[in-house]
Amino acid sequence: MIGKEEACGSSGDEPHAWLAKRVSEIRAKRPIFIADFWNDGHLVRGCIAGGRSYLHINASGQVEPCAFVHFAVDNIHDRSLKDVLASPFFRLCQERQPFHSSHYAPCPIVDVPKDLREIVSLSSAEPMHPGADSVLTDEVATVIDGRSKAWRPSANCLETTGSEQ
């Protein structure tokens, strides 16, 4: 049987395709719920982070748009959650959603990295640990840009076919 990734020209070697296949296998065989932030975008109309349906408050109280986006402007100890969600940082995150026309490319980190770079720059968000900003500039960013570009045709195909594995 050909899965949606194969039908859309994905070799299965990409992290997106591998994860989608693996999560589908686990869901079919195990009586557990697995949420896949990366590949379930089509189920929730894109990225749920940035306060749209989800945010992350780290151990020191810094409010991050996602558990994987380690940038913040505000601390929950200093501002109400309502005010944090109305901040320029979170407004920018929310206004750009969905980040991509294909919900199979929902993530501003790995699917639309230019948006994350712009949001961080425009809001003056700060990295929450050493190395967090590597997704914006360093060689990590170059790898992410390449993978994002390589995944885009498959994501677009998956969005238009609407098929499930």
Side-chain angles (χ1 to χ4, degrees):
M1 176 177 199
I2 296 177
K4 61 185 174 183
E5 284 78 17
E6 290 82 6
C8 288
S10 173
S11 68
D13 294 334
E14 298 93 344
H16 263 301
W18 178 88
L19 187 60
K21 183 177 180 182
R22 183 68 181 128
V23 168
S24 292
E25 290 169 358
I26 293 170
R27 285 176 176 160
K29 295 177 184 175
R30 306 263 190 243
I32 59 173
F33 175 77
I34 296 176
D36 179 353
F37 281 87
W38 215 0
N39 290 300
D40 285 345
H42 64 288
L43 300 174
V44 294
R45 297 179 328 274
C47 175
I48 64 171
R52 183 179 147 232
S53 300
Y54 167 83
L55 57 81
H56 179 253
I57 301 173
N58 70 22
S60 64
Q62 296 298 121
V63 186
E64 302 168 336
C66 176
F68 304 108
V69 177
H70 301 287
F71 295 89
V73 174
D74 295 301
N75 190 296
I76 198 66
H77 300 295
D78 302 326
R79 291 185 76 188
S80 72
L81 189 54
K82 181 179 178 181
D83 289 343
V84 170
L85 288 170
S87 72
F89 183 42
F90 275 86
R91 274 198 330 267
L92 284 166
C93 290
Q94 295 162 14
E95 289 168 0
R96 290 181 182 230
Q97 293 182 12
F99 291 101
H100 192 276
S101 59
S102 171
H103 293 144
Y104 288 88
C107 181
I109 306 168
V110 297
D111 295 316
V112 192
K114 77 170 188 53
D115 277 9
L116 179 61
R117 290 182 191 113
E118 290 173 6
I119 290 167
V120 168
S121 175
L122 291 170
S123 66
S124 300
E126 295 290 326
M128 292 296 98
H129 60 80
D133 57 346
S134 68
V135 300
L136 304 178
T137 58
D138 295 341
E139 59 193 56
V140 173
T142 302
V143 171
I144 291 170
D145 288 344
R147 288 190 175 170
S148 170
K149 186 177 180 181
W151 175 246
R152 197 162 291 128
S154 293
N156 291 337
C157 177
L158 292 168
E159 187 69 32
T160 58
T161 63
S163 61
E164 292 295 323
Q165 285 183 337

